[in-house]
Amino acid sequence: MIPVTEFRQFMEQQQPAFRVLKPWWDVFTDYLSVVMLMIGVFGCTLQVMQDKIICLPTNTPTQNQTVALKNQSEHPLLSHTNEVSAPMPELKGRKTNLDLQQYSYINQMCYEKALHWYAKYFPYLVLIHTMIFMVCSNFWFKFPGSSSKIEHFISILWKCFDSPWTTRALSEVSGENPEGQDEKKEGDSKANVSTIEDGLEKTQSLRSIPEKLVVNKPAASVLDKKEGEQAKALFEKIKKFRLHVEEGDLLYVMYVRQNILKVLKFLLIIIYNCFLVHRVKIIVTCNVKTKDMTGYDNFLCNHTMAHLFSKLSYCYLCFVGVYGLTCLYTLYWLFHRSLKEYSFEYVRQETGIDDIPDVKNDFAFMLHMIDQYDPLYSKRFAVFLSEVSENKLKQLNLNHEWTAQKLRQKLQTNANNKLELQLFMLSGLPDTIFEVTELQSLKLQIINNVTIPAAISKLEDLQELSLYQCSIKVHSTAVAFLRENLKVLRVKFDDSRELPSWIYCLRNLEELHLMGLFSHDISRNVTLDSLRELKSLKTLHLKSNFTKIPQSIVDVSSHLQRLYIHNDGTKLVMLNNLKKMAHLVHLELVHCELERIPHAVFSLTNLQELDLKENNLKSIEEIVSLQHLRKLTSLKLWHNAIAYIPDHIKKLGSLERLYFSHNKIEVLPSHLFLCHKLRYMDLSHNEIRFIPPEIGVLQSLQYFSVSCNKIENLPDELFFCKKLKTLKLGMNFLTVLSPKISFLIALTHLELSGNHFEGLPAELGSCRALKRSGLVVEDALFETLPSDVREQLSAE
């Protein structure tokens, strides 16, 4: 006999966890398959253990049979030599004179020839059909292409709901408190055990127990580091799994096909069984040519199991009918609506998490199957598809990692003498930052999904905010706080669409720094949104690729004082809007590919500082027009291609700082030194060979640099500039340093390296403010000084 347990592998999944993907109809058909399998096994066992058919001859014996019977009666010792003669019992009925072997032969021949094939093989057909049903029901769990997806999905599902850290994560991101619910149940059970007669006391105990337990477990809502990392990994797994599974519909197609195959199998079984079930008869007539061997040709046979097989066949047909109807219902469920789309609308409404996405293809199909097992699974699973939920979970981990104490340790004083906190490449903005109430400047770099909540209002001293390549969302209450308190805002972006719209309503903002490139097509006609609401804006710094001055800057021209435009090498061709900015005191046009000093600059009568660094200036003849800028004190024309300085630079009598470094100047005009107010002059990195003696006129000069030129001699008049504090003469062709260096008693920094000096004058000792740290010279050359001078310079 074949035990039923041998067939368990056909009706059970490879893993018990797969049961969540078996709806009620699959479970029901599995049990039907077990019953049908038992019918088949039972029928096969009967055929093996019992006689299949019993036959008797129906015609009279032949003459040979009569003679043989007579001889046997006359000579009994011939056939039974070892038996004792005894009186024969009286025989009744027809005598066939056939022995047992002949009967066995006849039974076998009639079983093969006369019995209908359906009656012979019925139990085997039941067994084969049932095996096919079982294979069809579970094939998608075994097929490599589908089983791998199912196993991956089930493993993620169990991690979501069985692991303790996952349960805690779900309680935070979905706004639920399973710990509290468990505690409430525990409290309820305790209250039920204790007999309290007074109803009021009973109600109070039920409410007070969970509250007390929650207070005693404040850490229940905080994930430790290990649990947080596991939760983050789970979110990543679900993202990758979703992308992989939503690409195709293999699971859906396989499930549909195997159900269609079962329905076709059901129809086949019903049809041929209805026609053949009556073929199972108890009495069967048999006509075989065995007369030469047995003396008979016609036999009447009894199919011993015909009655039982007939009952079993009708019973089997009933089970198959129920099985088929169940499969038809399955097909109706598969086709009456689209199972390749799954909507979480009800979950979004219940949980309030609006960003849970709908899914499709095999992912949607598996969720539909899980809903038939328990809809709670898909509801809980949906939380892990939400970016909001993921961000909440990341926020919990972030708050746990970045405590207020740790943030205070990172506080530094910035260039504006503000207490600043810099955060770099975090997963978000920790809520604990709002506990550092002394914070004055906040700098965030490369942080995605930054959300500034209303809690920022706790930072009453916050005045500066820097956002470098951060995607940010600001709560409306936080916008109101920033509008009133923020003084300095710096935003660095990769795409102009990342610019937050709320920056245009910061009415108390004094400095705005925007750094980022616009696309090539947009930059030609780019305009910033209106800056009209920025009533207090005084400094505007734009680092981008503009081709013209944005019109929106004119909106703040009445109070804008400093404008910085740093291009990436894009030529700035339209500067007419500058004429309208009469209140500018500081203008920088850097790396704008300017070939001439813009004429619009000459209208800025309040301008005090002009910086045209890293342009393509070759001639500055129009510099004479700068004489109308009576307040101009600083002119920076460095890092250009200027070959000479025109004589009429002398008309810029208000200049105090002049930058001509990194140009191609060969000759210094004597008229340059008629700008008698000059205090700072940088002529380094040029091709200057000679310094005019008129330099002695600059009695206010404090900084003078001619390093990296081709100067061979220094005029004595240079040392009449007694207010010089910094003198840079390095990388030239100087061979002698005049003893008149002693006249520069205020000198604190002297650079002499890279020349051809053979020695240094002892008069350096007269420069009492000069120390060894401020003397930039080769060590060997320093050793040529007298020892007392060296000691004096080395003394702190």
Side-chain angles (χ1 to χ4, degrees):
M1 179 176 179
I2 304 175
V4 178
T5 54
E6 295 294 330
F7 300 96
R8 289 184 62 186
Q9 59 177 326
F10 296 101
M11 64 183 179
E12 292 186 357
Q13 299 86 350
Q14 189 175 1
Q15 298 181 13
F18 284 4
R19 65 179 181 272
V20 297
L21 290 177
K22 292 186 75 69
W24 67 264
W25 52 78
D26 280 349
V27 176
F28 182 61
T29 54
D30 282 348
Y31 282 109
L32 290 176
S33 298
V34 173
V35 175
M36 291 187 291
L37 185 66
M38 294 177 65
I39 293 175
V41 173
F42 179 63
C44 292
T45 304
L46 288 178
Q47 283 199 327
V48 173
M49 303 294 293
Q50 297 183 9
D51 292 334
K52 302 175 183 178
I53 195 170
I54 299 175
C55 298
L56 291 174
T58 58
N59 53 350
T60 57
T62 61
Q63 184 179 359
N64 293 336
Q65 287 179 310
T66 304
V67 173
L69 182 60
K70 182 179 180 180
N71 292 335
Q72 184 178 4
S73 62
E74 292 177 356
H75 304 283
L77 294 178
L78 296 177
S79 57
H80 303 284
T81 56
N82 296 326
E83 295 183 2
V84 181
S85 64
M88 295 292 292
E90 185 179 0
L91 298 177
K92 296 181 180 181
R94 178 181 296 175
K95 294 182 180 180
T96 61
N97 301 324
L98 299 178
D99 57 19
L100 182 60
Q101 291 181 347
Q102 289 175 318
Y103 274 117
S104 297
Y105 176 76
I106 293 170
N107 290 342
Q108 188 64 31
M109 290 295 294
C110 289
Y111 179 79
E112 295 294 337
K113 300 292 184 180
L115 197 62
H116 193 272
W117 65 268
Y118 180 78
K120 290 189 292 184
Y121 302 122
F122 165 73
Y124 302 106
L125 292 174
V126 172
L127 196 61
I128 292 173
H129 291 321
T130 305
M131 297 269 292
I132 294 175
F133 278 137
M134 290 181 176
V135 171
C136 289
S137 296
N138 299 291
F139 182 73
W140 71 318
F141 293 120
K142 308 290 183 179
F143 184 70
S146 57
S147 63
S148 60
K149 292 182 180 181
I150 295 174
E151 290 175 5
H152 196 179
F153 177 74
I154 296 300
S155 67
I156 292 176
L157 191 65
W158 289 139
K159 287 180 181 179
C160 289
F161 302 105
D162 286 352
S163 300
W165 57 266
T166 308
T167 303
R168 295 172 67 182
L170 282 169
S171 68
E172 294 297 334
V173 298
S174 62
E176 299 176 358
N177 190 355
E179 292 86 355
Q181 294 174 1
D182 294 340
E183 291 162 358
K184 186 173 182 179
K185 291 179 181 178
E186 182 179 355
D188 292 343
S189 62
K190 291 181 180 178
N192 291 332
V193 173
S194 62
T195 57
I196 303 176
E197 296 180 356
D198 188 76
L200 179 61
E201 292 180 359
K202 187 179 294 184
T203 304
Q204 291 176 348
S205 66
L206 288 173
R207 292 181 179 177
S208 61
I209 288 175
E211 291 177 359
K212 183 176 180 182
L213 291 173
V214 172
V215 172
N216 291 337
K217 296 183 179 181
S221 62
V222 180
L223 299 175
D224 59 34
K225 185 175 182 180
K226 181 179 179 181
E227 292 173 341
E229 292 299 325
Q230 290 175 334
K232 288 166 60 178
L234 183 58
F235 271 105
E236 292 300 321
K237 283 184 178 180
I238 292 176
K239 286 182 181 179
K240 294 179 180 179
F241 176 76
R242 180 188 171 194
L243 292 175
H244 174 63
V245 175
E246 283 190 323
E247 291 178 354
D249 57 353
L250 176 64
L251 297 179
Y252 175 79
V253 171
M254 289 190 64
Y255 191 77
V256 169
R257 288 180 178 178
Q258 70 185 30
N259 276 279
I260 291 176
L261 182 59
K262 289 193 290 186
V263 170
L264 295 177
K265 191 71 176 175
F266 148 72
L267 295 176
L268 176 65
I269 294 172
I270 292 296
I271 292 173
Y272 86 80
N273 274 272
C274 290
F275 284 101
L276 299 178
V277 68
H278 67 279
R279 294 287 187 175
V280 181
K281 299 178 181 179
I282 298 177
I283 304 300
V284 180
T285 58
C286 176
N287 185 5
V288 292
K289 296 180 180 180
T290 58
K291 192 170 185 179
D292 294 339
M293 300 177 61
T294 62
Y296 298 93
D297 288 333
N298 299 318
F299 301 90
L300 193 63
C301 302
N302 176 24
H303 185 195
T304 58
M305 291 173 289
H307 181 72
L308 181 58
F309 278 7
S310 178
K311 302 303 180 185
L312 287 178
S313 62
Y314 284 110
C315 183
Y316 171 68
L317 285 177
C318 292
F319 284 120
V320 171
V322 176
Y323 192 102
L325 292 176
T326 306
C327 292
L328 288 174
Y329 173 79
T330 303
L331 290 180
Y332 167 76
W333 179 79
L334 287 170
F335 294 128
H336 90 284
R337 61 171 177 167
S338 176
L339 297 183
K340 292 197 288 186
E341 296 178 357
Y342 190 93
S343 175
F344 288 102
E345 182 63 30
Y346 76 100
V347 181
R348 291 193 286 264
Q349 293 177 356
E350 291 184 10
T351 62
I353 305 176
D354 297 330
D355 72 324
I356 300 177
D358 296 336
V359 295
K360 59 183 181 179
N361 289 337
D362 280 344
F363 201 178
F365 176 65
M366 285 190 287
L367 290 174
H368 281 295
M369 296 291 282
I370 285 180
D371 280 348
Q372 300 301 317
Y373 183 82
D374 189 349
L376 182 62
Y377 278 78
S378 58
K379 177 181 177 182
R380 293 295 185 90
F381 193 81
V383 178
F384 284 86
L385 295 172
S386 168
E387 291 186 5
V388 172
S389 302
E390 184 179 7
N391 292 336
K392 287 182 179 179
L393 182 60
K394 290 179 180 178
Q395 192 68 35
L396 290 174
N397 298 332
L398 199 63
N399 295 340
H400 184 70
E401 180 181 0
W402 291 90
T403 61
Q405 181 180 2
K406 184 177 180 180
L407 292 174
R408 284 190 173 94
Q409 295 175 354
K410 291 179 66 65
L411 290 177
Q412 297 178 348
T413 302
N414 63 9
N416 295 332
N417 201 26
K418 302 291 184 182
L419 204 58
E420 184 176 76
L421 174 64
Q422 297 187 25
L423 298 178
F424 180 72
M425 291 189 70
L426 298 185
S427 58
L429 186 66
D431 294 331
T432 51
I433 197 174
F434 306 117
E435 300 176 16
V436 188
T437 55
E438 65 271 25
L439 187 64
Q440 295 176 309
S441 176
L442 178 60
K443 186 176 182 179
L444 307 178
Q445 292 180 282
I446 315 178
I447 301 179
N448 293 324
N449 302 320
V450 177
T451 300
I452 299 182
I456 196 174
S457 59
K458 298 178 181 179
L459 306 179
E460 297 179 354
D461 296 332
L462 184 65
Q463 296 182 1
E464 298 183 7
L465 179 61
S466 301
L467 305 172
Y468 290 175
Q469 295 176 320
C470 299
S471 57
I472 186 169
K473 297 179 181 178
V474 184
H475 192 272
S476 57
T477 306
V479 172
F481 171 80
L482 295 175
R483 182 170 57 244
E484 300 296 331
N485 294 271
L486 202 61
K487 303 295 183 183
V488 180
L489 175 63
R490 301 179 182 89
V491 180
K492 185 176 182 180
F493 55 89
D494 292 326
D495 190 337
S496 58
R497 290 172 292 185
E498 298 176 3
L499 275 175
S501 58
W502 50 267
I503 68 174
Y504 304 110
C505 65
L506 304 177
R507 60 188 179 190
N508 289 327
L509 191 68
E510 297 179 359
E511 292 186 25
L512 177 59
H513 300 251
L514 300 179
M515 295 160 279
L517 300 180
F518 295 90
S519 66
H520 180 70
D521 294 333
I522 296 177
S523 62
R524 295 179 180 178
N525 300 309
V526 67
T527 57
L528 296 171
D529 287 349
S530 177
L531 304 176
R532 189 176 294 107
E533 295 297 323
L534 307 183
K535 302 295 185 181
S536 302
L537 188 64
K538 296 180 180 179
T539 301
L540 179 59
H541 190 132
L542 303 175
K543 187 174 182 180
S544 186
N545 56 344
F546 294 110
T547 58
K548 64 179 181 179
I549 304 293
Q551 178 64 31
S552 57
I553 298 180
V554 180
D555 295 337
V556 293
S557 60
S558 60
H559 45 81
L560 190 64
Q561 297 180 1
R562 288 172 289 276
L563 176 60
Y564 305 86
I565 297 181
H566 291 202
N567 265 5
D568 65 338
T570 303
K571 189 171 184 178
L572 192 61
V573 293
M574 298 182 64
L575 299 164
N576 293 333
N577 286 334
L578 283 177
K579 296 179 180 181
K580 303 175 183 179
M581 314 189 73
H583 295 278
L584 277 183
V585 297
H586 189 125
L587 176 62
E588 282 190 13
L589 302 176
V590 177
H591 210 183
C592 296
E593 290 297 311
L594 299 176
E595 297 179 357
R596 312 284 292 190
I597 298 177
H599 290 280
V601 174
F602 306 142
S603 303
L604 306 178
T605 55
N606 290 311
L607 196 63
Q608 297 178 11
E609 183 172 344
L610 176 61
D611 189 348
L612 301 178
K613 181 182 178 182
E614 293 182 352
N615 282 283
N616 195 24
L617 298 178
K618 297 179 180 179
S619 173
I620 53 173
E621 288 293 338
E622 59 276 3
I623 200 173
V624 65
S625 299
L626 293 177
Q627 64 180 318
H628 302 296
L629 309 183
R630 303 295 182 182
K631 299 180 180 180
L632 187 64
T633 59
S634 177
L635 179 60
K636 299 180 179 180
L637 302 177
W638 48 348
H639 295 268
N640 281 281
I642 301 173
Y644 70 98
I645 301 174
D647 290 341
H648 42 253
I649 194 173
K650 64 183 179 180
K651 295 183 179 182
L652 306 182
S654 60
L655 277 183
E656 296 180 5
R657 304 173 69 87
L658 184 61
Y659 296 75
F660 272 113
S661 64
H662 296 83
N663 278 284
K664 299 180 180 180
I665 301 172
E666 297 182 0
V667 178
L668 293 178
S670 58
H671 295 82
L672 170 63
F673 304 104
L674 296 180
C675 301
H676 55 87
K677 290 185 179 181
L678 281 175
R679 293 183 296 106
Y680 186 106
M681 185 183 296
D682 188 356
L683 301 169
S684 60
H685 295 271
N686 279 283
E687 299 178 7
I688 301 172
R689 297 179 180 271
F690 174 74
I691 299 177
E694 286 79 5
I695 191 173
V697 177
L698 302 179
Q699 292 300 306
S700 299
L701 193 62
Q702 298 179 16
Y703 180 100
F704 183 62
S705 175
V706 287
S707 59
C708 296
N709 279 283
K710 300 179 180 180
I711 300 173
E712 298 180 357
N713 295 294
L714 296 176
D716 292 341
E717 289 79 5
L718 173 62
F719 304 106
F720 296 157
C721 303
K722 297 183 178 181
K723 293 184 179 180
L724 266 179
K725 295 181 179 180
T726 300
L727 179 59
K728 294 186 177 182
L729 305 171
M731 305 303 293
N732 279 285
F733 300 143
L734 298 174
T735 57
V736 176
L737 182 62
S738 173
K740 293 182 180 180
I741 190 71
S742 60
F743 295 168
L744 305 180
I745 57 177
L747 195 64
T748 59
H749 184 89
L750 176 61
E751 181 181 322
L752 300 174
S753 61
N755 283 282
H756 305 299
F757 294 116
E758 295 181 359
L760 296 179
E763 286 77 7
L764 276 176
S766 301
C767 303
R768 298 297 180 179
L770 185 64
K771 300 299 180 183
R772 180 66 182 94
S773 58
L775 178 60
V776 181
V777 68
E778 292 85 354
D779 292 339
L781 194 58
F782 180 74
E783 293 297 327
T784 62
L785 289 170
S787 59
D788 57 334
V789 176
R790 294 200 304 270
E791 292 176 1
Q792 174 188 329
L793 293 174
S794 301
E796 295 295 335

